[in-house]
Amino acid sequence: MTRNHLPGGADLEEFGRPIFSEISNSGVGFGLGFAVVQDAVRQKSLASDGEYNWGGAASTMFWVDPAEELTVIFLSQIIPSSVRPVLGQLRQLVYQALVD
């Protein structure tokens, strides 16, 4: 479920239609039900390879980062999400809070 199932190993940036997203789809594939980070550097976002996630309406988002043993669920009511793009800030705050 958490492996890329797009033909030829494509990512969402090259395979899908360009739509609004607070987070880049470059380096992100699609598994069985959610996005899968294949190359965190190409995604240009705080993430680990193998992370899987999905965003929904009203700026809702979840992600699971197995490398960091991390699960995040963010529920909000921001419509349209472009009014207050908070997901990048949320990622930054979560990853800054991690300690080894």
Side-chain angles (χ1 to χ4, degrees):
M1 290 180 66
T2 61
R3 291 190 183 147
N4 184 18
H5 289 274
L6 294 178
D11 63 14
L12 289 173
E13 189 77 21
E14 60 188 311
F15 190 78
R17 296 181 328 179
I19 58 173
F20 172 78
S21 177
E22 289 184 44
I23 299 170
S24 169
N25 285 320
S26 184
V28 179
F30 194 79
L32 300 178
F34 30 75
V36 180
V37 176
Q38 301 176 109
D39 187 342
V41 174
R42 282 186 49 217
Q43 187 189 22
K44 298 178 186 170
S45 176
L46 291 171
S48 300
D49 291 352
E51 172 197 298
Y52 50 100
N53 63 68
W54 195 250
S59 293
T60 59
M61 175 79 175
F62 87 88
W63 79 84
V64 177
D65 186 338
E68 296 292 342
E69 298 180 351
L70 175 70
T71 301
V72 176
I73 300 171
F74 181 72
L75 304 173
S76 69
Q77 292 296 309
I78 302 171
I79 298 174
S81 52
S82 60
V83 168
R84 192 165 184 89
V86 297
L87 297 179
Q89 295 170 352
L90 174 65
R91 280 185 171 273
Q92 183 177 3
L93 290 170
V94 167
Y95 282 97
Q96 283 178 338
L98 294 178
V99 292
D100 288 332

